[in-house]
Amino acid sequence: MKVNNPVIKDLLRHYRKISLLSKTKAVLDWDLNVNLPTKAAEGRSHQTAHLAELITDLWLDEKFRNQLDKASLLSSKASKEEQAIVRNLNFAGKYYFNVPKELIVEKEKVASAAFMAWKEAKEKNDFSIFLPHLKELIRLDQMIASHLKFDKNPYDALLDQFEPELTAEKAKIVFDAIKPDLIKLVKRIQKSKNYSSSSAFVDEQILYPKQEQELLLKSIMRRMGYDFAAGRVDVSPHPFTTTLDRHDVRITTMYIDNDFRTSYTSTMHETGHALYEQGINPEYSETPLEGGVSFGIHEALSRFWENMVGKNPAFISFMTPLFQSFYPEQLNALNEWELSRVVNLVKPSFVRIEADEVTYSLHIILRFEIENALFNNEIKPEDLPKVWREKSREYFGIEPKNDSEGVLQDVHWAYGAFGYFPAYALGNLYGAQFLRTMKKDIDFDAELNKGNLLPIKGWLDQNIHRHGSLYSPDELVKLVTGEKLNPKYFINYLTDKYTKLYEL
Ligand code: ZN
């Protein structure tokens, strides 16, 4: 990467320190999730808190901020890469620059107490234990939003933290466009004759040994083109991907004894994140152009591998003999279509993280509508359990038995992470639009049917991965597909797939 501007050269030198410290902190966080002895938790929290403070100080460095202000004025004459460096630094620094440090510290304190209260509330199925903490977190996030200065809707400030330039207005247009079709599709699947027959194939008594699951998923990762010399796979309770260096992108997975699907789908999901990070232009490493564009684009790629590849009937057809060689007694009785339906089982449930491809976006839309109403004072925190039940009935045709399965199910609000969910639903939509474009270059189903995943990785490397965060999400989607985000591709993709699968 060629940078001539001396001010930008200085910014790069300073950012490199932030990048190296952040990755050092990420090593400690990875270790915390994968290896940490129970007694070490307190010491580890001191270590990571100290690193977080050093990173904050680097962002608040006065000379750095002055140079960034200067560079922001120059940037219209600068190269594409130089402009992106300035844009990304301003975006990442916004929180540190505008929100008073006392407020950040206050929120961290309130959030750790809220997390404990949320755990207790969920265990005892008693929303009132969590309510006062939730109110306090909402109040603090409203203050944070006001410091981030958004004139139209305070919720925009929170959305933007997770997906640059996303606003409630934009999200609402997209979600309103897909909601009725999703609800209709769920109802059609529920009424189909194959709906109940697929459920019968899932037997909780059947066990899948961990060793076999591990061998199988490593062979799939190799097939996807994951570089094991530049990463590793371990086990953790919540699977995740972390970038510790451009040559060290690690994933974790989890094994469930009586369900082979969990490690299969979650490994393809996390490997999708990892291929993105491994495929970025090496020159961008340790600069503000490193890493993926946004949560939404990252989720687009991980969910692309999980759903559009891993659960594609053409790929399942290739995988059927493999699955059966690993799990002969468990799966020999199923043919490839039955196996496809087992992997793609649509089942309206109360729980987002267990949701299938069709109902998943409805779970997100429900949360988006509630958060948007909360931050615009259209509903009160005390009304949340009622609102949650009403929307569940409307979208899934079912109502959670209690608040633990309803409004208390996600941990995100207990961390004060409002505005986080919509990026996930956008990921589904971006993914379907990328797939449509990819199919013009690649005979997608034919390659999957032969188990050839490398042409797909190659296409993503060339069109998306290598750019790192050179473009904004909107620019990237336009560059790759020739048009801005268009939700109809996602609906077409789902309708097409599930009409065939369930013979609707
Ligand atoms: Zn993910």
Side-chain angles (χ1 to χ4, degrees), residues 265-470:
T265 54
S266 85
T267 301
M268 288 192 87
H269 180 102
E270 298 306 331
T271 306
H273 284 304
L275 292 182
Y276 191 1
E277 294 285 322
Q278 286 185 336
I280 293 171
N281 181 349
E283 290 183 8
Y284 294 168
S285 182
E286 295 165 15
T287 81
L289 304 184
E290 67 185 347
V293 178
S294 65
F295 276 87
I297 300 290
H298 240 298
E299 280 307 308
L301 297 171
S302 58
R303 295 182 65 78
F304 174 87
W305 284 102
E306 175 189 351
N307 294 314
M308 295 170 185
V309 175
K311 297 187 190 171
N312 186 309
F315 189 60
I316 298 291
S317 156
F318 167 79
M319 286 296 296
T320 298
L322 263 170
F323 278 134
Q324 289 173 336
S325 71
F326 278 94
Y327 315 122
E329 280 146 39
Q330 300 91 325
L331 297 180
N332 265 355
L334 301 188
N335 65 31
E336 56 190 60
W337 272 102
E338 289 163 336
L339 208 51
S340 264
R341 284 202 207 108
V342 168
V343 172
N344 283 293
L345 191 66
V346 175
K347 205 171 178 220
S349 95
F350 315 108
V351 187
R352 177 185 59 89
I353 54 168
E354 292 166 8
D356 57 83
E357 212 179 354
V358 185
T359 54
Y360 189 88
S361 299
L362 288 172
H363 284 274
I364 300 296
I365 293 171
L366 176 150
R367 285 155 179 78
F368 162 76
E369 290 174 348
I370 289 179
E371 287 183 342
N372 192 22
L374 261 181
F375 280 88
N376 285 287
N377 299 317
E378 287 158 10
I379 52 175
K380 290 196 202 93
E382 38 272 65
D383 297 332
L384 281 175
K386 192 175 121 246
V387 177
W388 192 285
R389 279 194 297 273
E390 285 166 2
K391 284 192 186 284
S392 293
R393 205 180 319 122
E394 187 185 343
Y395 299 166
F396 309 114
I398 50 177
E399 206 180 276
K401 291 196 289 294
N402 54 46
D403 290 342
S404 297
E405 281 187 350
V407 66
L408 288 168
Q409 68 174 271
D410 297 304
V411 66
H412 301 68
W413 290 350
Y415 290 139
F418 301 98
Y420 176 92
F421 291 115
Y424 282 84
L426 284 188
N428 292 333
L429 308 187
Y430 291 138
Q433 193 161 331
F434 292 151
L435 175 64
R436 184 179 171 272
T437 308
M438 185 188 287
K439 281 184 168 173
K440 292 176 188 165
D441 299 329
I442 293 179
D443 195 349
F444 190 71
D445 288 352
E447 296 291 355
L448 290 191
N449 206 239
K450 288 182 272 181
N452 290 342
L453 303 184
L454 292 181
I456 295 165
K457 175 190 179 275
W459 191 95
L460 293 171
D461 278 340
Q462 183 59 30
N463 290 286
I464 300 175
H465 296 162
R466 70 188 170 101
H467 298 308
S469 34
L470 181 60

Side-chain angles (χ1 to χ4, degrees), residues 128-140:
S128 71
I129 299 172
F130 182 47
L131 181 62
H133 300 270
L134 181 63
K135 280 184 175 167
E136 188 58 12
L137 280 171
I138 292 169
R139 189 183 68 83
L140 290 172

Side-chain angles (χ1 to χ4, degrees), residues 24-35:
T24 309
K25 181 171 174 291
V27 177
L28 294 184
D29 286 330
W30 172 84
D31 179 68
L32 167 82
N33 281 288
V34 174
N35 290 321

